[in-house]
Amino acid sequence: MIKLSILLRYSFVFFCISSYVFAAETAPIPIHPVKHLFDIGGPKKTLLSLPSDVAVDKHRIYVVDSGHHRVVVFDKDGDQELIIGKEGIRNGQFRGPVGIDVDSQGRIYVADKGNHRIQVFDKKGKHLVSIVTADKNKSLVSPVDVTVDESSELIYVTGNNNHKLMIYNFPGYVLEEWGGDGVDEGFFRYPGTLTLLHDKRIAVVDILNTRVQVFTTKGKLSLQVGEWGVLPGQLFRPKGIAIDKQGRFYISDSYMNLVQVFTDGGRFQAVLGKRDKPSSFKTAAGIAIDDDMKLYVAEMLEHKVSVHSISEYK
């Protein structure tokens, strides 16, 4: 049964890739060039195991090393600087961490999924506080990702088991809950990665609904990016999202092994690649873009974070 399931999965992936090839033959896929620079980690799983998310600031790369139940911090050249945590339930320890964010002060926020909490560390890796992720009914929630709005002192968290986006204040009290299990606008089926736009709207990857939903600070749906499908501009298993300096959306697809680019208005623009072919980012999960237009992709089953430079847009 397991072998059949694997066969069916890879058959479908082959179908998806073939659909992309067919689309390229009938109508050229817009390609935006990226250049591979280097990898952090690799197949041997010695440095990283199942990296699920990545965050960056001016000086550092922060990787959720989920398989090793820790966070590993690197400089911008990919040299290791710091290891935070190990498997466990105490403060500073993790059980299956998933998402990460870093603020302007270098504080590190980690979605510690198995321990039902957000843990916050200073830039040296010292544990500062743990915020229990519970909903308004005080039921524990398994957090998938976290992002911070410093200007309003709010922490946004996606919940795996309640299908909601939750907003906490810095003391850790839940203020609002948006969404719930469903397919209609404003609802989610396993919300995942999230990020703040430059105007403080919040973008949420709605994984099984194969879309990204963008909300105002009041919780009103502002924009939807993507739809189900395997053709350019469509999403099959979106996982990561990042926003560049011009407000473009970059969305990774872990089944299609692609990163697609959409305009700030949600219109499909291109697939990242080189020459006339899309680049393959194997099982791409969380992604990040820095101010120098470098792209960081957590390629989960490759046990690495790949780093690329994005060409200037004309």
Side-chain angles (χ1 to χ4, degrees), residues 149 151-152 154 156 165 167 175-176 178 196-203 214-222:
D149 182 358
S151 62
S152 58
L154 296 176
Y156 295 86
L165 173 63
I167 302 98
L175 302 176
E176 294 184 59
W178 301 345
L196 282 177
L197 277 60
H198 302 310
D199 60 7
K200 303 301 181 181
R201 286 180 295 162
I202 185 79
V214 181
F215 298 88
T216 69
T217 56
K218 302 297 184 182
K220 181 179 179 181
L221 184 66
S222 169

Side-chain angles (χ1 to χ4, degrees), residues 159-275:
N160 179 263
N161 54 319
N162 68 346
H163 308 279
K164 290 183 179 181
L165 173 63
M166 297 165 294
I167 302 98
Y168 298 84
N169 60 16
F170 270 85
Y173 297 103
V174 61
L175 302 176
E176 294 184 59
E177 300 173 350
W178 301 345
D181 188 6
V183 299
D184 294 335
E185 291 183 352
F187 288 82
F188 305 105
R189 294 174 67 210
Y190 297 101
T193 306
L194 68 164
T195 192
L196 282 177
L197 277 60
H198 302 310
D199 60 7
K200 303 301 181 181
R201 286 180 295 162
I202 185 79
V204 184
V205 177
D206 188 6
I207 296 175
L208 287 192
N209 284 328
T210 63
R211 63 191 178 188
V212 169
Q213 298 194 77
V214 181
F215 298 88
T216 69
T217 56
K218 302 297 184 182
K220 181 179 179 181
L221 184 66
S222 169
L223 180 68
Q224 179 174 305
V225 183
E227 61 180 1
W228 186 89
V230 297
L231 299 178
Q234 298 178 330
L235 304 170
F236 186 77
R237 189 64 81 242
K239 284 292 180 69
I241 184 170
I243 308 296
D244 72 11
K245 293 183 290 187
Q246 278 69 48
R248 286 179 282 256
F249 295 85
Y250 296 73
I251 303 173
S252 65
D253 194 308
S254 65
Y255 261 67
M256 297 297 294
N257 296 328
L258 299 169
V259 174
Q260 299 191 69
V261 187
F262 297 79
T263 67
D264 58 358
R267 178 177 56 83
F268 170 71
Q269 185 167 355
V271 178
L272 295 185
K274 50 188 175 183
R275 297 184 180 90

Side-chain angles (χ1 to χ4, degrees), residues 101-121:
D101 193 20
V102 59
D103 69 17
S104 63
Q105 304 302 311
R107 290 182 292 250
I108 305 161
Y109 303 76
V110 185
D112 185 9
K113 182 179 177 182
N115 286 321
H116 310 289
R117 63 189 178 186
I118 303 298
Q119 294 201 68
V120 186
F121 302 84

